[in-house]
Amino acid sequence: MSSSTWPPVPKPPVLAPVPLSRVLPDGVSWAEAPIPMPGRPKLLPAEESAAAGSFPERYQDFLAGRACAHHAMVRLGVPGARRIPVLRGDHREPLWPRGVVGSITHRAGYCAAVVARSRHFAGIGIDAELAEPMPPDVVQDFCTEGERTWLRAHEDDGIPWATVLFSAKESLYKAWFPLARSWLDHRDAELTPDPASRTIRIRLAPAHREQLARYGTPQCTFAVADPHIATFVSIPTRPRRFER
């Protein structure tokens, strides 16, 4: 993807409104913050070590992400949540304490974290994007043929549907990776929005469906509120028949 054209970054950064609360089901706690955060919050020592050597912009993202993560875990009722470091794995994914699943998103001066109990969800993912049209070459790069056909049929809706799909695939990957521990290409899942219910049907390629066979079909919700899009993907703990 062309980083020079996507994603767009407004100047100055914007915080609200991000319609995150509209996409989250019961059992999910969340917190949000601007980047950079006011008040000079501090990382836990182990988190500070994990962020050592980061570029200033990346450090601010990490700082806001961990502050949101701790706040969300407090809301969830995790004992000692403010003293539990949220480190990161080899692929920069957040490492949550036992019994907790979660996700973090950063975009254009905005950060949010969501957490839930692992007994309720096997994995969750969130993403926030600016509600801006995507360049045609980027759409060609990440959309399947079926998705491009759907986009052409809805190009007069007044909603940047390609950006909704992009965001949903980002959320899907964040929920997917901690379970499968493997790469999921943008074209390894075909997404079909249902505008009326604000949900998105996810159809994984057969090989990837097998990787999640012990869980259920990923579920996706979305919301659009200028200037942002929010998407949320959850993977159930109980197996259900995969979409064919």
Side-chain angles (χ1 to χ4, degrees):
M1 296 185 182
S2 174
S3 59
S4 62
T5 58
W6 187 264
V9 178
K11 295 181 180 180
V14 295
L15 173 61
V18 177
L20 191 60
S21 61
R22 297 192 207 171
V23 301
L24 300 180
D26 292 340
V28 177
S29 296
W30 61 286
E32 60 184 357
I35 303 173
M37 291 188 67
R40 297 185 179 180
K42 293 183 178 180
L43 295 169
L44 294 173
E47 294 171 339
E48 189 69 57
S49 296
S54 299
F55 289 109
E57 183 176 336
R58 289 285 189 182
Y59 182 86
Q60 291 298 327
D61 287 350
F62 187 88
L63 176 63
R66 270 53 195 178
C68 288
H70 289 295
H71 193 181
M73 287 194 295
V74 169
R75 288 180 171 179
L76 189 64
V78 176
R82 295 197 184 279
R83 301 187 302 274
I84 302 173
V86 179
L87 304 180
R88 60 185 173 194
D90 294 338
H91 297 272
R92 305 183 66 84
E93 76 279 14
L95 302 178
W96 302 97
R98 184 175 181 179
V100 175
V101 294
S103 180
I104 298 173
T105 186
H106 314 87
R107 177 64 65 225
Y110 173 82
C111 177
V114 295
V115 294
R117 300 286 185 181
S118 58
R119 65 176 178 268
H120 297 148
F121 300 95
I124 59 176
I126 55 164
D127 186 67
E129 300 290 341
L130 291 172
E132 299 282 350
M134 300 190 77
D137 60 322
V138 179
V139 175
Q140 182 71 27
D141 181 59
F142 86 88
C143 282
T144 66
E145 182 177 350
E147 290 167 345
R148 292 195 296 272
T149 298
W150 191 95
L151 291 173
R152 286 192 294 270
H154 292 265
E155 59 187 6
D156 295 328
D157 287 0
I159 292 175
W161 286 116
T163 310
V164 173
L165 293 182
F166 176 88
S167 178
K169 292 191 178 191
E170 291 289 298
S171 291
L172 173 61
Y173 180 75
K174 292 176 184 179
W176 155 277
F177 184 80
L179 300 174
R181 307 302 301 179
S182 65
W183 175 253
L184 185 69
D185 188 79
H186 280 138
R187 297 189 185 185
D188 289 334
E190 184 163 273
L191 277 55
T192 306
D194 180 349
S197 65
R198 297 203 308 269
T199 60
I200 298 177
R201 182 189 186 195
I202 297 174
R203 298 184 66 184
L204 290 168
H208 297 299
R209 286 203 298 268
E210 293 302 319
Q211 287 182 276
L212 294 186
R214 61 180 295 188
Y215 308 109
T217 302
Q219 310 293 311
C220 181
T221 52
F222 73 91
V224 181
D226 186 46
H228 282 99
I229 291 166
T231 59
F232 174 78
V233 169
S234 62
I235 299 176
T237 55
R238 296 179 181 177
R240 283 187 269 176
R241 176 172 292 185
F242 281 96
E243 300 284 357
R244 297 292 181 182

